Amino acid sequence: MALAGCPDSFMHRSYYQDQGEQASAQEAADLAAPSFPAQSERLKNHQEDDVDLETLMNDMSTSLESLYPACGMQSDTVPLCQNGQHTRGQPPAAGARSQPPQGSPWQKVQRSQPVHILARRLQEEDQQFRTSSLPAIPNPFPELCGPKSPPAPPPGSLPPSQAVTKQDVKVFGEDGTCKVVEILADMTARDLCQLLVYRSHCVDDNSWTLVEHHPQLGIERCLEDHELVVQVENTMASESKFLFRKNYAKYEFFKNPTNFFPEHMVSLCQQSNGSQTHLLQIFLNSSSCPEVQGFLHVKELGRKSWKKLYMCLRRSGLYCSTKGVSKEPRHLQFLADLEDCSVFSLIAGRKQYSAPTDYGFCIKTNKVMHHSKELRLLCAEDEQGRTCWMTAFRLLKYGMLLYQSYRVPQQRKALLSSFSTPVRSVSENSLVAMDFSGQTGRVIENPAEAQSAALEEGHAWRKRSSRMNVLGSQSPLHPSSLSTVIHRTQQWFHGRISREESHRIIKQQGLVDGLFLLRDSQSNPKAFVLTLCHHQKIKNFQILPYEDDGQMFFSLDDGNTRFSDLIQLVDFYQLNKGVLPCKLKHHCIRVAL
């Protein structure tokens, strides 16, 4: 009887709701039991009890009717309709209320059904869940609540995700240092070089390359930028390794192709007008048939002897003529294919293979790893001839892939030029020389006077430091001592290396005009040597010291042009050719990984 007067929020809780249902069912069973008349008869016998039985039964029926529909409509989860509103906010239909079975005593005591009171209570409860200041939030996934939504697939029906393949690659530097890099299976040589440049804090000038080095075979080559590193490593022996090195001549033939392809060595199927652009189009066009021809020293397979033959390189492969310089099909013998082969340069051809010259190269198939007997060894007369043969091999094999790799840095630079280049102000671009020696400043209009003022200002700090150390001992930053050691901090200075070692470094990093390095002289302990490349030839220039009024100078032209240190000398010849055959453009560098 206490459940009939309890508040609705008390009945909405699951525990009390179950208790109320059990109590209601028990009372209904007691009322519907056959002993009900006996109980009424027993109550009539008590005359002292003044409780009206009919009024009591009416109150009980009303309480049970209000309790039964409220408990029947409550549920633990309230589903969402397609418009995102709760279903509990709607008033129940007339036929939604459960009816007791026909013929039971329940019909005798059922009096009225206050449905309008129950609907008002449910509307008030629904307003508690809804915020009046915010609009109704729609269901973002109506298809999940609809009857036609597809069932969720079982866990085993989805295909497994493909795992990203990674592999460790060991890369060596020029100084012997090594670094292990974890790369993806689809990483190209360019991507790996950019990663190493970033980790080594180098300047990315698009001249870094990855070198495939085979010490047991005495050969090496530079990987193309589009080649996959993992695929190349799978064709290498365990003793082979990758080197991280500069190569300024990687795409130099696109800038000046006439220096790489002499007229007497290139035979074109079309009439050439002699222009550089037309020559490149013939090599890059797959429908054209350029040929590189000339004499080469060829080492016979399985023998130590070399034979000089007339060779011809075409798109179909490398051929040799069995009868002089004849290129008739019956006189041409096939030697090597271009598809499954790569061209390598010989590191020590004279010592290891008894080559007649120092300009040897070879064609190696991908299946050859250890045995040098299967290499097709060739040797040219000079460096220009070897460069022409190797460059033509790369162009005929890869074609447009090389040109696209050459254009990638330029296109990237064009896209990022507006972001990377700082905006200079108008006043910064219009600087003028000023003289503040008098009471008022004046603009120096004479160019000769302005240049002398700039030189005087540049040497002022040396004079001030010299006066400061006159009375004391010579400090480590004294001008005379500083000029002799400051160049050792520069990347273009390679210290005490031999003449042969300097030439080897120049060749490895590309025989391009203006490539240079400085080293200590072996004949004169106080002098230095400038090693410079010009027209694919290496030349050496001695830098001699001169002393004037107790101050040391350095000069390349017997004292006519003097410099206080080697940094000034290099800066000057990077802007002026002077007595050199060309300006200093690129410096050889060694990076520690």
Side-chain angles (χ1 to χ4, degrees):
M1 301 300 294
L3 294 176
C6 65
D8 295 336
S9 59
F10 183 82
M11 294 302 303
H12 287 168
R13 298 189 179 182
S14 59
Y15 173 79
Y16 298 104
Q17 180 178 346
D18 297 339
Q19 296 294 332
E21 291 178 357
Q22 294 177 4
S24 302
Q26 182 65 29
E27 292 178 0
D30 293 342
L31 292 175
S35 59
F36 180 75
Q39 186 178 0
S40 302
E41 192 70 22
R42 188 173 60 251
L43 291 174
K44 290 180 180 181
N45 297 331
H46 294 276
Q47 300 297 332
E48 67 274 12
D49 192 2
D50 56 350
V51 180
D52 187 6
L53 179 61
E54 184 176 358
T55 304
L56 181 63
M57 296 301 298
N58 291 336
D59 295 340
M60 185 184 302
S61 300
T62 305
S63 301
L64 291 177
E65 289 171 0
S66 61
L67 176 62
Y68 182 79
C71 296
M73 295 182 63
Q74 297 294 331
S75 60
D76 294 338
T77 58
V78 182
L80 292 175
C81 294
Q82 292 188 0
N83 58 355
Q85 304 298 332
H86 294 283
T87 57
R88 59 180 300 178
Q90 302 175 358
R97 181 170 42 87
S98 60
Q99 300 292 338
Q102 298 293 334
S104 61
W106 175 263
Q107 297 178 350
K108 298 180 181 180
V109 298
Q110 190 174 5
R111 294 292 183 269
S112 62
Q113 299 178 2
V115 181
H116 62 280
I117 300 178
L118 178 61
R120 187 177 61 181
R121 291 180 179 178
L122 293 177
Q123 290 178 0
E124 293 175 358
E125 294 175 6
D126 187 76
Q127 292 297 329
Q128 297 177 0
F129 293 93
R130 185 181 303 177
T131 306
S132 60
S133 61
L134 295 177
I137 302 176
N139 185 13
F141 306 103
E143 64 276 2
L144 299 180
C145 300
K148 297 183 179 181
S149 59
S157 62
L158 295 178
S161 58
Q162 298 180 357
V164 180
T165 306
K166 296 183 180 181
Q167 187 171 342
D168 293 337
V169 176
K170 185 179 295 186
V171 184
F172 290 83
E174 286 291 321
D175 56 350
T177 58
C178 173
K179 177 175 290 187
V180 179
V181 184
E182 185 182 34
I183 65 174
L184 300 177
D186 58 346
M187 179 172 284
T188 61
R190 179 192 290 275
D191 298 335
L192 181 55
C193 288
Q194 291 182 347
L195 179 61
L196 293 175
V197 166
Y198 173 76
R199 294 187 177 182
S200 303
H201 307 285
C202 305
V203 179
D204 187 10
D205 54 356
N206 302 310
S207 60
W208 294 98
T209 185
L210 206 62
V211 179
E212 180 184 355
H213 181 72
H214 300 270
Q216 72 280 7
L217 299 178
I219 59 176
E220 65 180 16
R221 76 175 181 99
C222 295
L223 269 68
E224 306 297 344
D225 287 341
H226 64 271
E227 290 189 80
L228 299 180
V229 180
V230 176
Q231 291 184 0
V232 176
E233 190 181 30
N234 294 335
T235 62
M236 298 170 55
S238 58
E239 299 85 2
S240 304
K241 56 185 177 180
F242 286 121
L243 301 178
F244 183 58
R245 169 192 303 170
K246 282 270 191 179
N247 183 16
Y248 295 99
K250 181 167 55 174
Y251 298 117
E252 191 69 19
F253 52 86
F254 285 117
K255 304 176 183 178
N256 192 7
T258 55
N259 293 342
F260 286 80
F261 303 104
E263 295 182 0
H264 67 278
M265 294 186 61
V266 180
S267 175
L268 306 175
C269 62
Q270 303 175 2
Q271 186 65 27
S272 175
N273 55 9
S275 63
Q276 300 181 4
T277 306
H278 185 71
L279 181 61
L280 282 178
Q281 290 178 354
I282 293 177
F283 271 97
L284 297 178
N285 189 7
S286 58
S287 61
S288 62
C289 302
E291 295 182 2
V292 177
Q293 56 193 6
F295 284 96
L296 288 176
H297 298 274
V298 183
K299 186 178 183 299
E300 301 182 8
L301 296 178
R303 298 183 181 180
K304 296 183 179 180
S305 60
W306 291 74
K307 185 182 296 185
K308 192 174 184 179
L309 299 175
Y310 189 80
M311 309 294 294
C312 179
L313 180 61
R314 301 175 177 176
R315 294 189 184 275
S316 57
L318 180 64
Y319 301 87
C320 68
S321 177
T322 58
K323 186 178 181 180
V325 294
S326 176
K327 294 191 295 182
E328 297 183 8
R330 59 177 181 172
H331 295 153
L332 293 180
Q333 181 180 356
F334 180 78
L335 294 182
D337 190 9
L338 303 183
E339 295 297 329
D340 196 34
C341 299
S342 300
V343 59
F344 289 77
S345 59
L346 299 183
I347 300 175
R350 284 184 178 270
K351 182 178 181 180
Q352 190 168 357
Y353 297 105
S354 302
T357 64
D358 295 328
Y359 313 105
F361 62 100
C362 74
I363 298 177
K364 170 185 170 295
T365 59
N366 296 332
K367 62 180 181 180
V368 177
M369 293 187 180
H370 302 279
H371 304 288
S372 61
K373 296 181 179 180
E374 300 182 11
L375 299 178
R376 179 61 67 178
L377 300 175
L378 307 169
C379 194
E381 293 292 342
D382 53 8
E383 184 62 41
Q384 186 180 18
R386 177 171 71 171
T387 305
C388 179
W389 285 99
M390 297 182 65
T391 304
F393 187 96
R394 295 173 56 198
L395 283 173
L396 293 177
K397 180 178 180 180
Y398 298 110
M400 286 300 298
L401 290 176
L402 289 182
Y403 186 72
Q404 292 173 1
S405 301
Y406 164 70
R407 292 289 300 172
V408 164
Q410 299 180 0
Q411 296 173 357
R412 185 180 305 173
K413 183 178 180 180
L415 293 175
L416 300 178
S417 60
S418 58
F419 301 98
S420 59
T421 304
V423 179
R424 299 172 61 90
S425 61
V426 178
S427 60
E428 189 177 359
N429 291 327
S430 58
L431 298 178
V432 295
M434 299 289 295
D435 181 17
F436 297 98
S437 57
Q439 294 182 356
T440 60
R442 67 180 182 89
V443 179
I444 303 177
E445 298 180 356
N446 188 2
E449 184 182 0
Q451 185 177 4
S452 61
L455 293 176
E456 183 180 358
E457 182 68 21
H459 294 285
W461 68 274
R462 299 179 185 273
K463 296 179 181 179
R464 288 193 298 267
S465 60
S466 177
R467 289 194 299 268
M468 292 176 60
N469 293 277
V470 168
L471 300 178
S473 60
Q474 202 174 60
S475 65
L477 296 180
H478 193 268
S480 60
S481 61
L482 183 64
S483 61
T484 58
V485 298
I486 191 174
H487 56 270
R488 299 187 180 277
T489 61
Q490 304 301 309
Q491 295 179 344
W492 40 256
F493 187 78
H494 290 250
R496 297 183 179 274
I497 61 175
S498 62
R499 183 189 187 98
E500 292 76 14
E501 180 69 13
S502 63
H503 289 196
R504 185 186 66 84
I505 296 176
I506 292 286
K507 292 179 181 179
Q508 287 180 350
Q509 300 195 12
L511 292 173
V512 297
D513 292 348
L515 183 61
F516 73 97
L517 62 85
L518 268 72
R519 57 183 177 88
D520 292 321
S521 177
Q522 293 179 322
S523 58
N524 188 352
K526 296 182 179 180
F528 303 93
V529 176
L530 170 65
T531 305
L532 178 65
C533 177
H534 179 63
H535 288 171
Q536 298 183 354
K537 295 181 180 180
I538 302 176
K539 301 179 181 180
N540 297 277
F541 302 89
Q542 195 171 33
I543 304 174
L544 298 176
Y546 290 90
E547 187 174 357
D548 186 9
D549 294 337
Q551 189 174 1
M552 187 71 65
F553 296 95
F554 298 94
S555 177
L556 269 173
D557 51 1
D558 298 331
N560 295 327
T561 308
R562 301 180 182 183
F563 305 94
S564 59
D565 53 45
L566 295 183
I567 296 181
Q568 290 186 357
L569 185 145
V570 171
D571 292 343
F572 176 83
Y573 286 106
Q574 283 180 337
L575 302 175
N576 308 277
K577 183 175 67 172
V579 296
L580 300 177
C582 63
K583 298 179 182 179
L584 305 182
K585 188 176 182 180
H586 308 290
H587 63 273
C588 295
I589 181 176
R590 288 183 174 183
V591 177
L593 295 178

